[in-house]
Amino acid sequence: MATQPITRDDAAGVSCFIRHNYHDHAAVTMYSYLMSRASKIVLDDNASDTITKTKRARGKFMMPFPTKLHIVLSIAENDGFDDIVSWQVHGRCFAVHKPQEFVDKILSTYFGQSKITSFQRQLSMYGFLRLAQGPDRGCYYHELFLKHKLYLCDDITRTGVNGNVVKRRVDPKTEPNFYLMPFVTPDPELPGFLLPFIKQEKWKSNSLMMK
């Protein structure tokens, strides 16, 4: 999903929109994803985590925002607070159902934030778009942010902020209809030779709470 920024000079007197350009990655499995990156993967118990990169900040390793958000959505589903935030039934976007409770109980706990506008700014910086109509109105999506496919978050990159870029509205006429697409389903079981690499999931608990 690529959007091209425009300058204020380009925008003068013109109604400018971000066009949705959705590519379906739901057929990607962890096996095919790992095989496509085989040259970068070391299948060893001591291998570094190449699926979900972390960055060092002030002596701590920080989990990337999309990865943390994906895990928080799983926690919400498993721990029974998906009435506050959850995936939509098709697994292609998520909804914040109770904004104030989301701020009080989730943003402050997992993201170290106290304003939903800060969360929305993060979404925008990582290329998430908000749907403006239909049954998913108000939901956020990124074509690589799919339920059951945490590993795809590794390819969601943060875009730079340019002071000369004009904030544009999203064109509702080009919005994807996720109910006309296959629902996202869990991956099949991985081949045994990949398990020593995949079982290194300690970053999930060790990094999630780090602000």
Short mmCIF file of all heavy atoms in Angstrom, two decimals, residues 4-37:
data_model
loop_
_atom_site.label_atom_id
_atom_site.label_comp_id
_atom_site.label_asym_id
_atom_site.label_seq_id
_atom_site.Cartn_x
_atom_site.Cartn_y
_atom_site.Cartn_z
N GLN A 4 1.61 8.56 -2.15
CA GLN A 4 2.60 9.55 -2.52
C GLN A 4 2.24 10.89 -1.92
O GLN A 4 1.17 11.43 -2.17
CB GLN A 4 2.68 9.67 -4.05
CG GLN A 4 3.16 8.41 -4.74
CD GLN A 4 4.57 8.03 -4.32
OE1 GLN A 4 5.41 8.89 -4.11
NE2 GLN A 4 4.81 6.73 -4.19
N PRO A 5 3.13 11.47 -1.07
CA PRO A 5 2.84 12.78 -0.50
C PRO A 5 2.91 13.86 -1.56
O PRO A 5 3.58 13.71 -2.57
CB PRO A 5 3.95 12.95 0.55
CG PRO A 5 5.07 12.11 0.04
CD PRO A 5 4.42 10.93 -0.63
N ILE A 6 2.22 14.96 -1.33
CA ILE A 6 2.27 16.09 -2.22
C ILE A 6 2.66 17.33 -1.44
O ILE A 6 2.48 17.40 -0.23
CB ILE A 6 0.92 16.33 -2.93
CG1 ILE A 6 -0.17 16.60 -1.89
CG2 ILE A 6 0.54 15.17 -3.80
CD1 ILE A 6 -1.47 17.02 -2.50
N THR A 7 3.22 18.30 -2.10
CA THR A 7 3.64 19.52 -1.44
C THR A 7 2.50 20.52 -1.42
O THR A 7 1.50 20.37 -2.11
CB THR A 7 4.84 20.14 -2.16
OG1 THR A 7 4.41 20.55 -3.48
CG2 THR A 7 5.97 19.14 -2.29
N ARG A 8 2.66 21.56 -0.62
CA ARG A 8 1.64 22.59 -0.57
C ARG A 8 1.48 23.28 -1.92
O ARG A 8 0.39 23.68 -2.30
CB ARG A 8 2.00 23.60 0.52
CG ARG A 8 1.77 23.07 1.93
CD ARG A 8 2.00 24.16 2.98
NE ARG A 8 1.52 23.71 4.28
CZ ARG A 8 2.22 22.96 5.10
NH1 ARG A 8 3.42 22.56 4.76
NH2 ARG A 8 1.72 22.60 6.27
N ASP A 9 2.56 23.43 -2.65
CA ASP A 9 2.47 24.04 -3.97
C ASP A 9 1.61 23.20 -4.91
O ASP A 9 0.80 23.70 -5.67
CB ASP A 9 3.87 24.22 -4.58
CG ASP A 9 4.68 25.28 -3.84
OD1 ASP A 9 4.04 26.13 -3.19
OD2 ASP A 9 5.91 25.23 -3.94
N ASP A 10 1.79 21.88 -4.83
CA ASP A 10 1.01 20.98 -5.67
C ASP A 10 -0.47 21.01 -5.27
O ASP A 10 -1.35 20.82 -6.11
CB ASP A 10 1.51 19.54 -5.55
CG ASP A 10 2.92 19.38 -6.07
OD1 ASP A 10 3.29 20.14 -6.97
OD2 ASP A 10 3.63 18.50 -5.57
N ALA A 11 -0.73 21.25 -3.98
CA ALA A 11 -2.08 21.13 -3.47
C ALA A 11 -2.90 22.40 -3.60
O ALA A 11 -4.09 22.39 -3.33
CB ALA A 11 -2.03 20.72 -1.99
N ALA A 12 -2.27 23.48 -3.96
CA ALA A 12 -2.95 24.77 -4.00
C ALA A 12 -4.18 24.69 -4.90
O ALA A 12 -4.10 24.40 -6.08
CB ALA A 12 -2.00 25.84 -4.52
N GLY A 13 -5.34 24.93 -4.29
CA GLY A 13 -6.58 24.97 -5.06
C GLY A 13 -7.07 23.62 -5.53
O GLY A 13 -7.99 23.53 -6.34
N VAL A 14 -6.48 22.52 -5.04
CA VAL A 14 -6.85 21.19 -5.50
C VAL A 14 -7.34 20.35 -4.32
O VAL A 14 -6.76 20.38 -3.25
CB VAL A 14 -5.65 20.47 -6.17
CG1 VAL A 14 -6.07 19.08 -6.63
CG2 VAL A 14 -5.12 21.30 -7.32
N SER A 15 -8.42 19.62 -4.51
CA SER A 15 -8.90 18.70 -3.49
C SER A 15 -8.14 17.39 -3.65
O SER A 15 -8.30 16.69 -4.65
CB SER A 15 -10.40 18.46 -3.64
OG SER A 15 -10.85 17.53 -2.69
N CYS A 16 -7.28 17.08 -2.68
CA CYS A 16 -6.37 15.94 -2.82
C CYS A 16 -6.78 14.82 -1.86
O CYS A 16 -7.10 15.06 -0.71
CB CYS A 16 -4.93 16.37 -2.52
SG CYS A 16 -4.35 17.64 -3.66
N PHE A 17 -6.72 13.59 -2.35
CA PHE A 17 -7.10 12.43 -1.57
C PHE A 17 -5.99 11.39 -1.60
O PHE A 17 -5.24 11.29 -2.56
CB PHE A 17 -8.38 11.78 -2.13
CG PHE A 17 -9.61 12.62 -1.98
CD1 PHE A 17 -9.98 13.52 -2.97
CD2 PHE A 17 -10.40 12.49 -0.85
CE1 PHE A 17 -11.13 14.28 -2.83
CE2 PHE A 17 -11.57 13.25 -0.71
CZ PHE A 17 -11.92 14.15 -1.70
N ILE A 18 -5.93 10.61 -0.52
CA ILE A 18 -5.13 9.40 -0.53
C ILE A 18 -6.00 8.29 -1.09
O ILE A 18 -7.11 8.05 -0.62
CB ILE A 18 -4.67 9.02 0.89
CG1 ILE A 18 -3.74 10.09 1.46
CG2 ILE A 18 -3.99 7.66 0.89
CD1 ILE A 18 -3.35 9.84 2.90
N ARG A 19 -5.54 7.63 -2.11
CA ARG A 19 -6.29 6.54 -2.71
C ARG A 19 -5.87 5.22 -2.05
O ARG A 19 -4.70 4.95 -1.86
CB ARG A 19 -6.04 6.46 -4.22
CG ARG A 19 -6.56 7.67 -4.98
CD ARG A 19 -6.31 7.51 -6.47
NE ARG A 19 -7.00 6.36 -7.03
CZ ARG A 19 -8.28 6.39 -7.42
NH1 ARG A 19 -8.98 7.49 -7.32
NH2 ARG A 19 -8.85 5.32 -7.93
N HIS A 20 -6.87 4.42 -1.68
CA HIS A 20 -6.59 3.09 -1.15
C HIS A 20 -6.06 2.22 -2.29
O HIS A 20 -6.59 2.23 -3.39
CB HIS A 20 -7.87 2.46 -0.60
CG HIS A 20 -8.46 3.19 0.56
ND1 HIS A 20 -8.21 2.84 1.88
CD2 HIS A 20 -9.28 4.27 0.61
CE1 HIS A 20 -8.88 3.66 2.68
NE2 HIS A 20 -9.53 4.53 1.94
N ASN A 21 -5.00 1.50 -2.00
CA ASN A 21 -4.39 0.62 -3.01
C ASN A 21 -4.04 -0.68 -2.33
O ASN A 21 -2.88 -0.93 -1.98
CB ASN A 21 -3.16 1.29 -3.62
CG ASN A 21 -2.55 0.48 -4.76
OD1 ASN A 21 -3.23 -0.37 -5.34
ND2 ASN A 21 -1.29 0.72 -5.06
N TYR A 22 -5.04 -1.52 -2.10
CA TYR A 22 -4.89 -2.69 -1.25
C TYR A 22 -4.40 -3.91 -2.01
O TYR A 22 -4.95 -4.27 -3.06
CB TYR A 22 -6.24 -3.02 -0.60
CG TYR A 22 -6.17 -4.05 0.50
CD1 TYR A 22 -5.79 -3.70 1.79
CD2 TYR A 22 -6.48 -5.39 0.25
CE1 TYR A 22 -5.73 -4.64 2.80
CE2 TYR A 22 -6.41 -6.33 1.26
CZ TYR A 22 -6.04 -5.95 2.53
OH TYR A 22 -5.97 -6.89 3.54
N HIS A 23 -3.36 -4.55 -1.46
CA HIS A 23 -2.85 -5.81 -2.00
C HIS A 23 -3.10 -6.90 -0.95
O HIS A 23 -2.81 -6.71 0.23
CB HIS A 23 -1.35 -5.71 -2.31
CG HIS A 23 -1.02 -4.65 -3.31
ND1 HIS A 23 -0.73 -3.34 -2.93
CD2 HIS A 23 -0.95 -4.68 -4.66
CE1 HIS A 23 -0.48 -2.62 -4.02
NE2 HIS A 23 -0.61 -3.40 -5.07
N ASP A 24 -3.61 -8.02 -1.38
CA ASP A 24 -4.01 -9.08 -0.46
C ASP A 24 -2.83 -10.00 -0.15
O ASP A 24 -2.32 -10.69 -1.03
CB ASP A 24 -5.15 -9.88 -1.08
CG ASP A 24 -5.76 -10.88 -0.10
OD1 ASP A 24 -5.29 -10.94 1.05
OD2 ASP A 24 -6.71 -11.58 -0.49
N HIS A 25 -2.42 -10.00 1.13
CA HIS A 25 -1.31 -10.86 1.58
C HIS A 25 -1.79 -12.02 2.45
O HIS A 25 -0.98 -12.69 3.08
CB HIS A 25 -0.30 -10.02 2.37
CG HIS A 25 0.34 -8.92 1.58
ND1 HIS A 25 1.49 -9.11 0.84
CD2 HIS A 25 -0.01 -7.62 1.41
CE1 HIS A 25 1.82 -7.97 0.25
NE2 HIS A 25 0.93 -7.06 0.58
N ALA A 26 -3.09 -12.25 2.46
CA ALA A 26 -3.64 -13.27 3.36
C ALA A 26 -3.18 -14.68 3.01
O ALA A 26 -3.19 -15.56 3.87
CB ALA A 26 -5.17 -13.20 3.35
N ALA A 27 -2.78 -14.91 1.76
CA ALA A 27 -2.34 -16.25 1.37
C ALA A 27 -0.91 -16.54 1.80
O ALA A 27 -0.47 -17.69 1.72
CB ALA A 27 -2.47 -16.41 -0.15
N VAL A 28 -0.20 -15.54 2.26
CA VAL A 28 1.18 -15.76 2.72
C VAL A 28 1.14 -16.55 4.03
O VAL A 28 0.37 -16.25 4.93
CB VAL A 28 1.91 -14.42 2.94
CG1 VAL A 28 3.31 -14.64 3.50
CG2 VAL A 28 1.96 -13.62 1.65
N THR A 29 1.97 -17.57 4.13
CA THR A 29 2.11 -18.34 5.36
C THR A 29 3.48 -18.09 5.96
O THR A 29 4.38 -17.57 5.29
CB THR A 29 1.94 -19.85 5.11
OG1 THR A 29 3.03 -20.29 4.27
CG2 THR A 29 0.61 -20.14 4.41
N MET A 30 3.64 -18.45 7.21
CA MET A 30 4.95 -18.27 7.82
C MET A 30 6.01 -19.07 7.08
O MET A 30 7.15 -18.64 6.90
CB MET A 30 4.93 -18.66 9.30
CG MET A 30 6.28 -18.42 9.99
SD MET A 30 6.27 -18.80 11.75
CE MET A 30 5.40 -17.36 12.38
N TYR A 31 5.63 -20.26 6.62
CA TYR A 31 6.58 -21.09 5.88
C TYR A 31 7.04 -20.38 4.61
O TYR A 31 8.25 -20.28 4.34
CB TYR A 31 5.93 -22.43 5.51
CG TYR A 31 6.82 -23.33 4.67
CD1 TYR A 31 7.88 -24.02 5.25
CD2 TYR A 31 6.60 -23.46 3.31
CE1 TYR A 31 8.70 -24.83 4.48
CE2 TYR A 31 7.41 -24.27 2.53
CZ TYR A 31 8.46 -24.94 3.12
OH TYR A 31 9.28 -25.74 2.36
N SER A 32 6.10 -19.88 3.81
CA SER A 32 6.49 -19.20 2.57
C SER A 32 7.25 -17.93 2.87
O SER A 32 8.17 -17.55 2.14
CB SER A 32 5.26 -18.91 1.71
OG SER A 32 4.37 -18.02 2.36
N TYR A 33 6.87 -17.25 3.96
CA TYR A 33 7.56 -16.01 4.34
C TYR A 33 9.00 -16.29 4.72
O TYR A 33 9.93 -15.60 4.27
CB TYR A 33 6.81 -15.36 5.50
CG TYR A 33 7.41 -14.06 5.97
CD1 TYR A 33 7.20 -12.88 5.26
CD2 TYR A 33 8.18 -14.00 7.12
CE1 TYR A 33 7.74 -11.68 5.69
CE2 TYR A 33 8.73 -12.81 7.56
CZ TYR A 33 8.50 -11.65 6.85
OH TYR A 33 9.05 -10.46 7.29
N LEU A 34 9.21 -17.33 5.53
CA LEU A 34 10.57 -17.67 5.94
C LEU A 34 11.40 -18.15 4.77
O LEU A 34 12.58 -17.83 4.65
CB LEU A 34 10.53 -18.74 7.03
CG LEU A 34 9.96 -18.31 8.38
CD1 LEU A 34 9.94 -19.49 9.34
CD2 LEU A 34 10.74 -17.15 8.97
N MET A 35 10.79 -18.92 3.88
CA MET A 35 11.53 -19.41 2.72
C MET A 35 11.95 -18.26 1.81
O MET A 35 13.02 -18.28 1.21
CB MET A 35 10.69 -20.42 1.95
CG MET A 35 10.47 -21.75 2.66
SD MET A 35 12.02 -22.64 3.05
CE MET A 35 12.32 -22.12 4.75
N SER A 36 11.10 -17.23 1.73
CA SER A 36 11.44 -16.09 0.89
C SER A 36 12.59 -15.29 1.47
O SER A 36 13.26 -14.52 0.78
CB SER A 36 10.23 -15.18 0.70
OG SER A 36 9.91 -14.51 1.91
N ARG A 37 12.84 -15.48 2.76
CA ARG A 37 13.93 -14.76 3.42
C ARG A 37 15.02 -15.71 3.91
O ARG A 37 15.76 -15.40 4.83
CB ARG A 37 13.36 -13.99 4.62
CG ARG A 37 12.35 -12.93 4.21
CD ARG A 37 11.80 -12.19 5.39
NE ARG A 37 12.85 -11.70 6.27
CZ ARG A 37 12.65 -10.80 7.23
NH1 ARG A 37 11.46 -10.31 7.40
NH2 ARG A 37 13.64 -10.41 7.99
#
